[in-house]
Amino acid sequence: MGQDVSQVLFSREDRIRYRQKVRRCLDVFALMLDDLGFDADRPTTGLEIELNLVDADAEPAMRNAEVLENLADPTFQTELGQFNLELNAAPRLIEGAGFADYEQDLRESLGRAEELAVKSDATIILIGILPTLTPRHLVLDNLSTNERYRVLNDSIVAARGEDIELDIRGVERLQTHTDSIASEAACTSVQFHLQVSPDNFANYWNASQAIAGVQVALGANSPFLHGRQLWAETRVALFEQATDTRPDELKAQGVRPRVWFGERWISSIFDLFEENVRYFPPLLPICDDEDPVEVLHAGGVPKLAELRLHNGTVYRWNRPVYDIMNGRPHLRVENRVLPAGPTVVDMLANAAFYFGLVCDLAEGDRPIWSQLTFSAAEENFHAAARRGIDAVITWPRLGEVRVTDLVRDVLLPRAAAGLDRFGVGAAHRDRLLGIIEERCRTGRNGSVWQVEAVRAAELGRGMDRSQALHHMLRRYGELQRTNEPVHTWPVEG
């Protein structure tokens, strides 16, 4: 949620007016989908990367305000925790050498940020969950100073009415309580954006949902939280629980969670916005002065501020986005399932696999979602988060299949075909998809490397878990800066 917020207390009148405005925006959005020309001439892509700051001892460094002030770069913004930053890459086409342009820009931006972070006695880590975080770091006082985070925290905690319980059962088990949403700050992700037309949006969103489990299995990079080895991609469980506004009674009644996979395939982007309005009460009932009906009738492009703000507080793993650029409205699928890291080239390999595969599936003759139940797609997602690259999932005509076999035998050729549709240069296509293939061949991703490195430190160096996690993270940072893909990283060093 990127909008700044200054209002802290909301009245009943605020909530009533906001609900009315959201529904008015939804009605206008429906009219726009029927009649207005959306910008969808060429499939622009985007990337957002959430970053962590650590000090020389591999501890979280609460210095994002200082680093941002020194950067003075609008492509970097605050995130929830004071040890977080977010980098927004400039949108671009991926045809030709588009991925190489992304790689150069991201490495230059991160290099510049790293130089300035060092001046603040910090360094940058790209990882799903910072393994040296402990409960003492994830407290209300360590939220970023932007008022919107405090307001969001107060709204979620008030909606729940009690402490937030974390109970994650993996290789080990974590049980704890927290009185704020600060634990969410541990979840650092990479988000892929793909601009699509209104007519094609449903196909691309459905395809994104269908492959979410495969993405997580390949890209898992979050095995540790509070010193415990949990899921291969613990970030999924943590994010789902850390922002849950439902006490047990509402869960038992089937009330939807705000971090939501969804419950059905869709036929239009309108389905998603309508579900958001129908199922989720507002957390931030802030109204804009715009009357979207008047703007539309006058030939303008409505901002739909209330609808967009509300959409930003429903945390779908594949989120619909309405936005305006250069006076033209457009729609995007925001793919939010993957953790950050381990390297820039690993994230771009993940991006190439996603963009290529989702394109081929969405544009194919027989939709994958007509052959796969929605509940199976959700079960695949959570099975992949638990087991990572060793996961077994369900796939049409194959039944239960190892993710690595599915990717190598079926999905990589389709991802390559999709990248060809985008016009991606063959050398760039083969380099990035080759990284995915090697991950599958070796069975090694970021999560696997972290677990093996910690085990080696514990067994080979006689370290306890905390010492091993700190040792692993320092080594991780060194290897991250080489930009060599994680499947090639040595465990010892």
Side-chain angles (χ1 to χ4, degrees):
M1 185 200 69
Q3 180 172 335
D4 287 339
V5 174
S6 58
Q7 186 174 351
V8 178
L9 297 176
F10 301 109
S11 67
R12 294 179 181 179
E13 290 76 16
D14 290 329
R15 295 183 183 280
I16 292 170
R17 181 167 177 253
Y18 182 83
R19 180 173 278 109
Q20 292 171 343
K21 281 292 296 286
V22 166
R23 294 187 179 279
R24 191 172 179 86
C25 287
L26 188 64
D27 291 341
V28 169
F29 186 57
L31 295 173
M32 294 173 67
L33 290 174
D34 289 337
D35 300 325
L36 202 65
F38 283 78
D39 186 1
D41 299 334
R42 307 181 78 187
T44 303
T45 67
L47 290 176
E48 299 176 47
I49 307 171
E50 295 166 353
L51 320 170
N52 290 285
L53 297 171
V54 299
D55 62 21
D57 296 322
E59 291 278 304
M62 308 297 171
R63 298 174 193 144
N64 68 353
E66 181 180 341
V67 173
L68 284 171
E69 183 178 1
N70 291 335
L71 270 169
D73 182 347
T75 61
F76 287 89
Q77 299 176 356
T78 58
E79 255 300 327
L80 183 60
Q82 292 183 31
F83 57 94
N84 301 140
L85 297 173
E86 181 176 87
L87 168 59
N88 294 281
R92 71 198 68 203
L93 302 172
I94 55 173
E95 67 182 22
F99 281 112
D101 292 341
Y102 263 133
E103 186 170 1
Q104 181 178 344
D105 284 358
L106 290 173
R107 294 193 69 187
E108 288 177 355
S109 295
L110 289 169
R112 187 171 66 255
E114 176 75 4
E115 290 176 2
L116 293 171
V118 167
K119 293 181 180 179
S120 298
D121 298 318
T123 190
I124 290 173
I125 297 290
L126 305 167
I127 200 166
I129 293 177
L130 201 60
T132 53
L133 283 166
T134 66
R136 67 183 173 84
H137 299 120
L138 297 173
V139 295
L140 188 61
D141 286 345
N142 286 338
L143 294 187
S144 291
T145 55
N146 191 310
E147 188 62 29
R148 73 174 184 262
Y149 299 121
R150 295 298 182 107
V151 176
L152 184 63
N153 174 81
D154 293 347
S155 297
I156 288 177
V157 172
R160 186 177 176 91
E162 58 190 46
D163 281 358
I164 296 168
E165 180 182 10
L166 302 179
D167 186 359
I168 305 174
R169 308 180 192 198
V171 177
E172 299 168 348
R173 184 178 182 183
L174 174 68
Q175 280 184 294
T176 188
H177 291 79
T178 176
D179 61 358
S180 75
I181 64 168
S183 293
E184 183 192 340
C187 304
T188 41
S189 66
V190 59
Q191 295 148 30
F192 305 141
H193 291 252
L194 181 60
Q195 184 176 316
V196 295
S197 70
D199 291 342
N200 289 333
F201 185 93
N203 285 1
Y204 276 85
W205 187 86
N206 289 340
S208 296
Q209 293 286 101
I211 65 172
V214 177
Q215 287 183 270
V216 169
L218 294 176
N221 195 30
S222 314
F224 295 103
L225 175 64
H226 296 343
R228 311 285 176 85
Q229 183 186 345
L230 301 170
W231 293 10
E233 187 49 38
T234 305
R235 188 184 116 268
V236 168
L238 178 59
F239 193 34
E240 288 177 343
Q241 295 183 23
T243 56
D244 199 342
T245 58
R246 307 167 302 161
D248 290 342
E249 295 79 5
L250 292 185
K251 294 177 187 177
Q253 293 174 36
V255 172
R256 281 86 174 168
R258 296 199 85 102
V259 176
W260 197 30
F261 190 81
E263 60 191 16
R264 62 185 176 119
W265 306 119
I266 65 168
S267 58
S268 166
I269 187 175
F270 184 82
D271 295 346
L272 301 178
F273 281 102
E274 191 275 333
E275 284 180 346
N276 289 354
V277 173
R278 178 155 43 105
Y279 293 143
F280 298 99
L283 291 178
L284 301 171
I286 301 165
C287 287
D288 190 84
D289 292 335
E290 176 190 80
D291 183 331
V293 174
E294 290 184 0
V295 172
L296 186 64
H297 286 169
V301 179
K303 293 184 294 183
L304 306 183
E306 293 81 9
L307 188 65
R308 291 162 70 186
L309 177 58
H310 187 57
N311 184 55
T313 62
V314 179
Y315 305 103
R316 294 179 183 269
W317 292 107
N318 284 292
R319 177 186 277 167
V321 177
Y322 165 83
D323 208 348
I324 302 170
M325 183 70 67
N326 300 322
R328 292 191 67 187
H330 70 262
L331 306 176
R332 304 194 303 268
V333 178
E334 181 186 15
N335 178 253
R336 301 159 48 83
V337 305
L338 286 175
T343 64
V344 168
V345 75
D346 279 309
M347 291 186 290
L348 289 176
N350 293 337
F353 181 75
Y354 168 71
F355 288 135
L357 183 56
V358 79
C359 175
D360 191 69
L361 293 176
E363 302 290 344
D365 293 333
R366 188 178 179 194
I368 191 70
W369 52 96
S370 70
Q371 308 166 60
L372 182 71
T373 66
F374 195 90
S375 61
E378 183 173 13
E379 289 167 8
N380 286 345
F381 178 66
H382 285 101
R386 288 187 177 92
R387 296 294 307 278
I389 205 162
D390 292 327
V392 173
I393 65 172
T394 301
W395 199 256
R397 295 193 298 277
L398 297 177
E400 291 190 347
V401 59
R402 289 177 59 89
V403 165
T404 49
D405 293 338
L406 173 66
V407 171
R408 296 178 75 186
D409 297 342
V410 179
L411 300 184
L412 274 173
R414 300 200 66 170
L419 293 178
D420 290 343
R421 285 178 184 259
F422 278 114
V424 174
H428 305 290
R429 175 201 67 201
D430 294 345
R431 176 191 178 220
L432 294 175
L433 293 186
I435 291 171
I436 300 297
E437 183 173 17
E438 283 300 295
R439 264 192 232 158
C440 292
R441 185 185 66 81
T442 60
R444 299 179 61 77
N445 58 13
S447 183
V448 170
W449 185 89
Q450 287 189 54
V451 169
E452 290 183 354
V454 167
R455 185 178 297 122
E458 289 175 332
L459 299 179
R461 296 173 179 264
M463 295 180 175
D464 64 24
R465 177 61 60 82
S466 177
Q467 292 170 329
L469 289 170
H470 285 75
H471 174 77
M472 178 272 286
L473 188 59
R474 283 190 286 267
R475 182 65 176 146
Y476 182 104
E478 294 169 359
L479 292 167
Q480 172 192 290
R481 285 183 281 278
T482 68
N483 200 39
E484 293 296 326
V486 70
H487 71 266
T488 68
W489 289 9
V491 172
E492 292 286 0

